[in-house]
Amino acid sequence: MEAPGCCRRHLPVLLLWASFLCVGFLSLLGSMNFSCLISSAAFTLYVNGLMTLGLAGEGLAGAHQQTKVCNESLMLEKLPACGKFFEEMMKKVDSKKWCNLTEFIMYYDIFTQCTEHEAFYASCFWPNPLVEGFITRIHKQFFSNCTSEEVLWEDPPDEILITLILIPVMLTCAMITLVVWCSKRSDILA
């Protein structure tokens, strides 16, 4: 079984053959003259060459690319600055409004971008478990008293409930009746 990216390597060859078949077919029909056939073939070779060079260059770039190791200690050293900035900004917001996201969404966005920047600066993915733990501590510090109201589910009215129950039951009975009726009449229908 081939790797997922392998089909892209065959794409230029497939396009080349497809264009030659199309050009050959059109020339057989007589709708193209010889110069048009030559220019189409030249264009096809040009595009094929460009695509092959692009795919080859892509492979070479990946061969020389070094993988960077996540510097977790640097990231953990830089993240508190993001938290300190967020804390300073949240002091501007009345603590009674901390549960209203519209009051501090801009500060939270800057905080999130800061954590993302510091993670990338340390060559780490974002989010990662360390950043998530840091963000969770910030959430506990500022939003621990924010609870969402529970949704109270109610039963639908009896008329709707009976209808929703009876429709599938009746359809099931009708389908069973139809299958039994058709199976008894198979000698007539055949």
Side-chain angles (χ1 to χ4, degrees):
M1 179 145 186
E2 294 181 298
C6 67
C7 298
R8 289 191 330 181
R9 279 185 265 138
H10 302 298
L11 185 63
V13 175
L14 292 173
L15 287 175
L16 178 68
W17 278 107
S19 61
F20 275 133
L21 288 174
C22 288
V23 168
F25 180 71
L26 289 174
S27 65
L28 286 176
L29 293 176
S31 63
M32 293 180 68
N33 58 22
F34 186 70
S35 64
C36 186
L37 180 67
I38 295 296
S39 64
S40 296
F43 178 74
T44 302
L45 288 174
Y46 175 72
V47 170
N48 184 40
L50 288 178
M51 290 182 69
T52 305
L53 286 175
L55 292 175
E58 189 177 9
L60 292 175
H64 296 293
Q65 184 180 9
Q66 296 178 355
T67 57
K68 295 181 181 180
V69 178
C70 175
N71 189 347
E72 292 178 352
S73 59
L74 176 65
M75 183 179 60
L76 289 175
E77 190 179 296
K78 298 284 187 177
L79 283 178
C82 299
K84 190 73 173 165
F85 173 78
F86 184 68
E87 189 175 332
E88 292 297 320
M89 292 296 111
M90 287 300 283
K91 285 180 183 177
K92 296 179 181 179
V93 179
D94 184 21
S95 62
K96 295 175 184 171
K97 296 182 179 181
W98 283 0
C99 295
N100 186 356
L101 187 61
T102 58
E103 296 291 329
F104 62 88
I105 188 69
M106 186 172 67
Y107 305 139
Y108 192 81
D109 182 52
I110 294 169
F111 167 70
T112 305
Q113 289 178 10
C114 179
T115 58
E116 186 175 358
H117 176 266
E118 296 303 338
F120 287 140
Y121 180 75
S123 301
C124 301
F125 290 106
W126 186 92
N128 62 53
L130 295 174
V131 173
E132 287 177 0
F134 180 75
I135 292 173
T136 302
R137 284 192 298 277
I138 294 291
H139 278 228
K140 285 180 182 176
Q141 180 181 350
F142 290 101
F143 313 121
S144 60
N145 293 331
C146 298
T147 56
S148 61
E149 297 176 12
E150 289 188 32
V151 177
L152 298 175
W153 295 98
E154 295 180 14
D155 287 336
D158 287 342
E159 298 83 27
I160 294 175
L161 189 61
I162 291 172
T163 306
L164 290 174
I165 292 172
L166 287 180
I167 288 176
V169 171
M170 298 304 273
L171 282 174
T172 304
C173 291
M175 292 302 291
I176 291 172
T177 305
L178 183 64
V179 168
V180 170
W181 182 71
C182 286
S183 66
K184 286 185 176 182
R185 296 183 49 93
S186 64
D187 57 332
I188 298 172
L189 295 173

